[in-house]
Amino acid sequence: MAAAITSKSNSDILQISDDLCTLKISNAEPYSFVDTTAGLSGLLDSLQKLPTAPPSLFIDLEGENLSRHGTISILQIYVAPSKRTYLIDIHTLGKTAFSTAGASGWTLQQMLESADIPKVFFDVRNDSDALYKHFRIRLAGIQDLQLMEVATRPSRRKHVNGLARCIERDGSLSPAESKRWKDCKEKGVRLFAPEHGGSYAVFNQRPLSKEILQYCIQDVHFMPPLWAYYNRKMTPQWRRRVEIASNERVRLSQSPAYVSHGQHKALAPGDWLHL
């Protein structure tokens, strides 16, 4: 896949950001479940020459104890220009998910590792940890949405927020959208969270239940409007700090000493506290 950059003026980017901010979430978002190499090859071909400013790709992963100690079940990619989500079945495809090439010869691994193709994650740490440990994927070109939120605060930068809080506070949801999002979230949590009587094994069941399917689709759909909202509030200096901190999160996640769970995960970068 060519890492071509589609040139946009500042006014073009601001207009696209406005469009992302007003993106609405429904119960019938278009998606494709990719569980064959042919389907994956076609997906890679469709990702040719996407705009990079603003980013086109918003990514999340699901799995059992997602980290070096667990598994990856599904990799979700929301493609902003087409407003479509692709759920890549890592549980079924295994290593071939990352080595299968499109017509241009590019693979999913090369796309994930390209510094020229921006990819937005929300708290990239455990996603990066799992991808590196299980498939030797070295993520690059990452914009961490969780760090972007911290960067927009006027003060109180000690702790990070979770995605749910960001959606509730900054997602500009109508009452109907908020109820639909919360209902979907709660149904998914009851199915996969052990503390609620669920099991992460539901992400490996095929076909996926409609509740888990919608859960996987929903979170990445909220990421583009959140990105646009935070991006408009950041100064160039804070954009650079987010870039550096995102890269540092990826680097640390690949180190032998990385700890995937614990209270330390709630802390923002220490040098941001008094900025």
Side-chain angles (χ1 to χ4, degrees), residues 192-242:
F192 70 73
E195 62 271 24
H196 292 278
S199 168
Y200 285 103
V202 296
F203 289 111
N204 293 333
Q205 294 174 0
R206 300 293 180 268
L208 287 175
S209 70
K210 65 178 182 180
E211 292 84 4
I212 292 298
L213 187 67
Q214 189 62 31
Y215 178 90
C216 290
I217 293 170
Q218 180 172 258
D219 281 354
V220 286
H221 273 256
F222 283 104
M223 290 168 66
L226 287 175
W227 182 92
Y229 177 74
Y230 299 140
N231 183 65
R232 291 178 70 89
K233 295 177 68 177
M234 283 197 302
T235 65
Q237 292 83 359
W238 274 108
R239 287 193 184 94
R240 178 58 180 159
R241 291 181 185 124
V242 167

Side-chain angles (χ1 to χ4, degrees), residues 130-155:
L131 286 167
Y132 179 70
K133 173 62 178 180
H134 301 303
F135 300 104
R136 282 294 180 259
I137 306 294
R138 297 178 179 270
L139 290 176
I142 303 305
Q143 297 182 22
D144 195 315
L145 194 56
Q146 186 180 57
L147 294 174
M148 290 178 67
E149 187 277 325
V150 179
T152 63
R153 300 179 199 168
S155 61

Side-chain angles (χ1 to χ4, degrees), residues 45 160 165:
D45 291 339
V160 297
R165 183 170 182 180

Side-chain angles (χ1 to χ4, degrees), residues 57-61 75-77 112 119-121 220 223:
L57 304 178
F58 297 78
I59 301 176
D60 190 23
L61 281 77
L75 187 150
Q76 303 105 277
I77 303 177
L112 291 170
K119 296 161 286 284
V120 181
F121 285 72
V220 286
M223 290 168 66

Side-chain angles (χ1 to χ4, degrees), residues 33-38 40 62-63 71-75 87-100 135 201-208:
F33 192 79
V34 182
D35 59 356
T36 66
T37 55
L40 182 57
E62 303 293 349
T71 63
I72 301 174
S73 302
I74 299 168
L75 187 150
L87 307 178
I88 301 176
D89 188 355
I90 307 300
H91 176 68
T92 297
L93 293 171
K95 293 181 179 180
T96 61
F98 303 100
S99 61
T100 297
F135 300 104
V202 296
F203 289 111
N204 293 333
Q205 294 174 0
R206 300 293 180 268
L208 287 175

